[in-house]
Amino acid sequence: MKAASQPSVLVTGGAGYIGAHTAKALHERGFLPVVFDDLSSGSREAVRWGPLIQGDLRDRAALSEAVATHQPVAVIHFAGLIEVGRSTVSPDLFWEVNVAGTVNLLTVMREQGVERLVFSSSAAVYGQGGRGPLETIAETADKAPASPYGDTKLAAEWMIAAQCRAHGLTAVALRYFNAAGADPSGLIGEAHEPETHLIPLAIAAALGDGKPLTVFGHDFDTPDGACLRDYVHVTDLAAAHLAALTVDLPAGAFEAVNVGSGRGHSVLQVVEAVGRAVGVPVPHAIGPRRAGDPPSLVADPRRARELLGWAAQHSALDEIVADALRWEREPAYGAGHRDPANRRRSPTPV
Ligand SMILES: NC(=O)c1ccc[n+]([C@@H]2O[C@H](COP(=O)([O-])OP(=O)(O)OC[C@H]3O[C@@H](n4cnc5c(N)ncnc54)[C@H](O)[C@@H]3O)[C@@H](O)[C@H]2O)c1
């Protein structure tokens, strides 16, 4: 499978949503993506552009063997636990996988001389952090994670930065805002189980495949009272990883960069956009606020442009929703309501 001149990149979590889209982008740029994933939430069918090593980040020997076998020029580290709500009931598990798992990876990279890392961080590192309700967030903003999940992302960033200073690793932490959409090819898309993300849940509700949507809170200090979020197309995210992997940085540099569109859309605007795309209104009800939900999380994306030459190209809300809908109608894999056998094709009348 590997051409003589094709450099390998180890992609932890490459069977998951963003990892699979980045593996495709790596392949298109001439890299061989070697996926290391325990398939705890990822899908074997999402690994199409290179080998899959089924292993757990907590198993240092398995990581070490993967690196020794494939000699990657760099690592892109997506693997981890992502559900904010679950992190509040099992914080120990989140620290074990997201933080101790990252320690394992860094140790193996140092032992085997892999000097380049791109890490999946998150806008969750910011929390509300003393901003005005509608201010965009620059990388220098206060860090005040509102969940154990956000804590683990910030702790992993600190540890990576320390490893850069101590051992000359060069790393970029990409702080994603809300990843959404799907590859236009229809080969890969979002298949979280359980799904907690707004756009697939709104589509499932409109298609009659899911529960009516709950909009959490309508009394925020925002134009329509609903939370504002920055949705970034997953193919734009994948392109940001290629930029972070190849940008010229000195040995030992650590950079943390927002990856967002710089535009905020309210939950109700997303609900309307999904209704327009599906052709029926999204059945929804207004519920109470969720603990720790900031009114607005919108990136100031200037640093990504300056450092990486990256800006979102496909993150207009209607393009994101159209690509997500194409995937949700014909998912190539996935569990639960996405299993083609379980689907009801007719939209629920509302
Ligand atoms: N989806 C978003 O909007 C978003 C936003 C900010 C940050 N992130 C971060 O991006 C990364 C990828 O997110 P995603 O949405 O693609 O999630 P995902 O759940 O689809 O992918 C995560 C992958 O990691 C694997 N994994 C989990 N634990 C593992 C372990 N112990 N060992 C090996 N593999 C393991 C899973 O099987 C899965 O394939 C995560 O680190 C997440 O925290 C995601």
Side-chain angles (χ1 to χ4, degrees), residues 97-153:
V97 175
N98 293 2
V99 182
T102 303
V103 175
N104 275 343
L105 181 65
L106 291 172
T107 303
V108 166
M109 289 177 71
R110 175 175 52 72
E111 284 170 353
Q112 300 197 41
V114 185
E115 291 169 350
R116 190 83 187 213
L117 175 71
V118 182
F119 171 61
S120 296
S121 188
S122 169
V125 300
Y126 296 114
Q128 187 47 49
R131 311 183 299 284
L134 299 181
E135 256 175 68
T136 57
I137 306 173
E139 289 78 357
T140 49
D142 289 350
K143 314 297 178 298
S147 67
Y149 166 75
D151 292 338
T152 64
K153 289 291 171 185

Side-chain angles (χ1 to χ4, degrees), residues 12-19 36-43 55-58 77-82 97-98 120-123 149 153 176-180 190 192 197:
T12 75
Y17 172 44
I18 306 168
F36 183 93
D37 196 302
D38 69 355
L39 300 182
S40 56
S41 67
S43 304
D56 191 319
L57 276 181
R58 291 166 291 183
H77 179 34
F78 297 97
L81 301 178
I82 70 163
V97 175
N98 293 2
S120 296
S121 188
S122 169
Y149 166 75
K153 289 291 171 185
Y176 319 151
F177 283 65
N178 287 54
E190 187 164 12
H192 294 123
H197 291 155

